[in-house]
Amino acid sequence: MTQSNETHQIDPCTLVLFGASGNLARVKLFPGLFRLDSIGRLPAELKILAVGRQAVDLAAWRADIKTMLDAKFKKGYDASAFERFIARNFYHANPPTDPDAFAKLKNTLSDERIFPQNLAYFLSVRPVDFAPVVESLANVGLTQEDKYWRRVVIEKPFGTDLPSAQDLQKSITKHLKESQIYRIDHYLGKSALQNILLQRFTNTILEPIWNNQYIDHVQITNTEMLGVGERTTFYDTTGALRDMIQSHILQTLALTAMELPKDLSPDSVRDAKIKVLEQIRPIPVNELNKHVFRAQYAAGEVPTSDGKTEKVPGYLEELARDNNGEKVDSVVETYAAMKLFIDNPRWQGVPFYIRTAKRLHEADTCIAIRFKKAPLQINGGQNQNWLIIGIQPRECIKMEIQSKIPGLDIKTRSIQLDAANRLPEDDTVDAYEALLLNLMQGDNSNYLHINEAEAQWRLVDPVVKAWAADKTSVYQYPAGSRDPEASKVIFESEDQFWRYSIELGGDK
Ligand SMILES: NC(=O)c1ccc[n+]([C@@H]2O[C@H](COP(=O)([O-])OP(=O)(O)OC[C@H]3O[C@@H](n4cnc5c(N)ncnc54)[C@H](OP(=O)(O)O)[C@@H]3O)[C@@H](O)[C@H]2O)c1
């Protein structure tokens, strides 16, 4: 984790972008690079070489980049910043049918008058292409580090299970050292995620209570009101567990539960995260129904932005729609919840409930921590403190405490200390902007180490397999509803319940 991005020196370098005409590049990477350039964060010498299968001439490619920026920055942008940015951009055609394609790429890059020789490759391509692209680069010597550095960004997902992640790792480490590999989990580029570690350890008052002596349980939630939409093909081979829990939610858990790193260097931060991920107790496959729960959304009603509601189809109906109207028998989950325990002195006995869902009644990403019962219990005795870190839509930290209701009676109510982690005047930086900058700085603390990726797969794989094998019908919840009642089966005690919202009273 770079302590100050502002002052961190970036070497002159060339960003070689595979899949540059793809969706991710259009929506995130080019707009992100442009913004970094506009605010003076790119080294003056930086060049961007887009690599694609099609032959496109430079003028047409630069015109295409302009359409990407026009689509993203609808209110317009600075003309001189645009001129500077567009002059950094080049295009190289790499037809898959040409056996000399990568030798030609090497030849293009060898022009030192244009391209700085430190090379960062961003593989924004299909996951099946990650290993072949690395191999082709290596075959022509383009991954070799001697005088200059060579870094490779591997997009998500890194494998689809533990064996495939290990195969991918084996293929790419024939040619790359771990320090050259930058595995994306774009959640780690979010300021709100980075803040978890900072807020925990830069405040004296939090660390002493951040353990099993004070904490009853932790909930990590990511719910959406949106459905799968057009992405049925992708989703039906992935599911909520692999799409969200294996990556983003387990990373959020690691930041919430990790020990204080030795320092903020990339190695120390990642070591602390690896350690806690490896301490999560494997889910007992013979008792899955006490530890995990899955469901699928059925047709229902969701709120619209104009305050009304609209009827939406269920997941199976969306699958049928995209399968020429024919019914698809899918057991893929759009709702996944899990109970995890961490076997270390800090967390022994504290359940971590994690859940993700599409088409729930609210969109919310947060960490909600419920503390143990206070020594004095009045009002029927359910007075527990909550500490909530809101990540999306609102970045905030809230503490719910009990306070006397003014008046003659001895009664308390919950009140909320509510602080925004983001102020209206704060800069909004997209996760990819932060990650691109880290890549050029050589700071991989916000990228996944292979041990993190493996620990995450090791944990979810047995559940993914068991769920895929169990073709009995999956619990259905109406789109727009709250968590399925049956999901409560994973709670350790009867007084635990899903925390619904970061608002006061969200525990009702
Ligand atoms: N971090 C995240 O949450 C996140 C979000 C979205 C995507 N991703 C990942 O980012 C990567 C790019 O995603 P994307 O949405 O931009 O993908 P995309 O638009 O489908 O394609 C990206 C590029 O892949 C190449 N490509 C597409 N179909 C191909 C085919 N049949 N054969 C060979 N090449 C093909 C194309 O390159 P040419 O220009 O050469 O034609 C295209 O520009 C994927 O690995 C995806 O999983 C990650």
Side-chain angles (χ1 to χ4, degrees):
M1 189 175 274
T2 311
Q3 290 199 31
S4 168
N5 276 325
E6 224 162 344
T7 51
H8 197 102
Q9 183 65 37
I10 302 180
D11 300 322
C13 57
T14 301
L15 184 60
V16 183
L17 191 41
F18 287 85
S21 60
N23 189 53
L24 184 72
R26 304 187 82 82
V27 175
K28 295 285 184 188
L29 305 182
F30 281 101
L33 287 163
F34 176 64
R35 251 187 54 95
L36 287 172
D37 198 6
S38 308
I39 57 173
R41 291 300 185 90
L42 296 186
E45 308 84 349
L46 176 96
K47 297 293 184 310
I48 303 164
L49 181 64
V51 180
R53 290 170 296 168
Q54 312 297 323
V56 181
D57 75 40
L58 184 58
W61 177 242
R62 289 181 172 177
D64 198 12
I65 295 175
K66 185 168 183 311
T67 63
M68 301 177 200
L69 302 184
D70 289 347
K72 184 78 176 190
F73 305 108
K74 295 221 164 57
K75 290 186 188 152
Y77 42 81
D78 182 69
S80 62
F82 174 73
E83 290 308 322
R84 184 175 64 228
F85 181 69
I86 210 69
R88 296 177 184 275
N89 279 279
F90 296 85
Y91 186 90
H92 178 87
N94 228 25
T97 48
D98 180 357
D100 298 325
F102 281 81
K104 289 175 188 163
L105 173 64
K106 183 181 187 180
N107 190 41
T108 299
L109 283 167
S110 68
D111 188 346
E112 294 190 29
R113 290 163 310 166
I114 303 177
F115 299 109
Q117 296 298 299
N118 292 305
L119 303 175
Y121 306 102
F122 198 119
L123 309 193
S124 182
V125 290
R126 301 172 310 166
V128 289
D129 296 324
F130 295 154
V133 172
V134 170
E135 178 157 30
S136 302
L137 288 169
N139 287 345
V140 296
L142 278 174
T143 54
Q144 193 65 40
E145 288 191 315
D146 35 55
K147 222 165 121 194
Y148 300 104
W149 52 253
R150 304 282 147 95
R151 297 171 189 153
V152 181
V153 177
I154 309 279
E155 252 300 340
K156 179 182 171 246
F158 194 86
T160 52
D161 55 14
L162 183 61
S164 60
Q166 287 171 330
D167 283 350
L168 175 58
Q169 173 71 0
K170 209 165 149 197
S171 307
I172 62 177
T173 50
K174 282 186 202 145
H175 313 293
L176 301 168
K177 301 187 291 267
E178 179 65 26
S179 60
Q180 292 178 274
I181 306 170
Y182 287 64
R183 297 176 196 80
I184 292 245
D185 178 333
H186 77 270
Y187 256 47
L188 295 178
K190 288 177 187 278
S191 177
L193 262 277
Q194 295 162 8
N195 191 31
I196 299 170
L197 185 153
L198 296 182
Q199 213 150 35
R200 279 188 58 196
F201 294 117
T202 59
N203 291 293
T204 319
I205 59 167
L206 292 182
E207 176 60 9
I209 55 168
W210 212 264
N211 55 53
N212 58 4
Q213 202 184 333
Y214 294 96
I215 292 177
D216 175 73
H217 73 271
V218 179
Q219 295 187 20
I220 299 179
T221 298
N222 167 277
T223 58
E224 295 175 65
M225 288 198 284
L226 293 173
V228 171
E230 307 296 309
R231 299 167 73 221
T232 48
T233 311
F234 158 78
Y235 203 84
D236 209 50
T237 52
T238 308
L241 188 51
R242 279 196 275 205
D243 189 32
M244 291 303 301
I245 290 185
Q246 186 276 338
S247 50
H248 310 319
I249 297 186
L250 286 178
Q251 279 296 310
T252 310
L253 183 150
L255 290 162
T256 307
M258 67 196 268
E259 297 298 322
L260 174 67
K262 199 166 71 204
D263 50 46
L264 286 184
S265 70
D267 283 350
S268 303
V269 172
R270 297 207 303 188
D271 281 353
K273 279 199 291 155
I274 292 166
K275 195 163 176 198
V276 76
L277 284 167
E278 291 180 345
Q279 287 168 334
I280 300 175
R281 192 183 307 162
I283 296 159
V285 273
N286 53 349
E287 284 194 327
L288 273 192
N289 56 359
K290 290 191 192 152
H291 292 260
V292 294
F293 178 83
R294 68 171 166 175
Q296 251 175 14
Y297 62 82
E301 279 191 16
V302 294
T304 54
S305 52
D306 56 5
K308 297 182 182 153
T309 56
E310 66 169 335
K311 285 191 166 41
V312 292
Y315 178 65
L316 293 178
E317 292 162 75
E318 288 174 323
L319 285 184
R321 177 201 63 203
D322 295 346
N323 188 40
N324 300 319
E326 274 182 48
K327 189 170 177 275
V328 182
D329 284 325
S330 171
V331 292
V332 165
E333 72 288 353
T334 61
Y335 178 103
M338 261 185 175
K339 172 173 58 191
L340 299 173
F341 289 96
I342 301 172
D343 286 327
N344 67 19
R346 185 193 285 267
W347 295 116
Q348 205 61 254
V350 177
F352 281 70
Y353 300 115
I354 59 183
R355 66 179 156 153
T356 183
K358 291 199 175 289
R359 285 277 189 238
L360 228 58
H361 72 292
E362 66 178 359
D364 189 18
T365 303
C366 74
I367 301 156
I369 298 173
R370 193 172 85 165
F371 290 87
K372 290 190 169 168
K373 283 186 179 156
L376 184 59
Q377 289 290 317
I378 53 176
N379 299 352
Q382 280 299 314
N383 306 322
Q384 280 162 296
N385 302 116
W386 285 90
L387 180 103
I388 294 168
I389 299 176
I391 293 170
Q392 260 172 314
R394 208 176 144 230
E395 292 175 45
C396 59
I397 183 159
K398 296 181 178 215
M399 173 65 107
E400 280 179 16
I401 62 171
Q402 298 304 308
S403 179
K404 182 179 179 301
I405 303 172
L408 296 176
D409 299 325
I410 299 298
K411 279 190 179 166
T412 60
R413 63 185 168 201
S414 295
I415 57 166
Q416 222 175 35
L417 312 175
D418 178 350
N421 279 334
R422 169 176 296 280
L423 304 177
E425 64 271 24
D426 287 335
D427 210 4
T428 305
V429 177
D430 185 81
Y432 273 95
E433 287 169 38
L435 292 174
L436 284 162
L437 196 62
N438 289 161
L439 165 70
M440 291 181 260
Q441 292 165 331
D443 177 352
N444 55 12
S445 48
N446 292 320
Y447 286 85
L448 299 180
H449 188 277
I450 182 60
N451 294 358
E452 293 176 87
E454 286 196 8
Q456 293 172 186
W457 280 125
R458 200 167 284 122
L459 197 67
V460 303
D461 260 6
V463 184
V464 172
K465 277 205 192 90
W467 279 356
D470 179 1
K471 302 290 181 200
T472 53
S473 66
V474 178
Y475 189 98
Q476 302 275 310
Y477 59 99
S481 65
R482 296 187 167 202
D483 296 67
E485 191 59 27
S487 64
K488 294 181 183 163
V489 66
I490 68 170
F491 288 132
E492 279 290 285
S493 94
E494 282 194 354
D495 76 339
Q496 292 171 346
F497 48 84
W498 290 121
R499 175 75 203 204
Y500 278 129
S501 159
I502 59 171
E503 301 309 323
L504 191 60
D507 54 348
K508 297 293 178 302

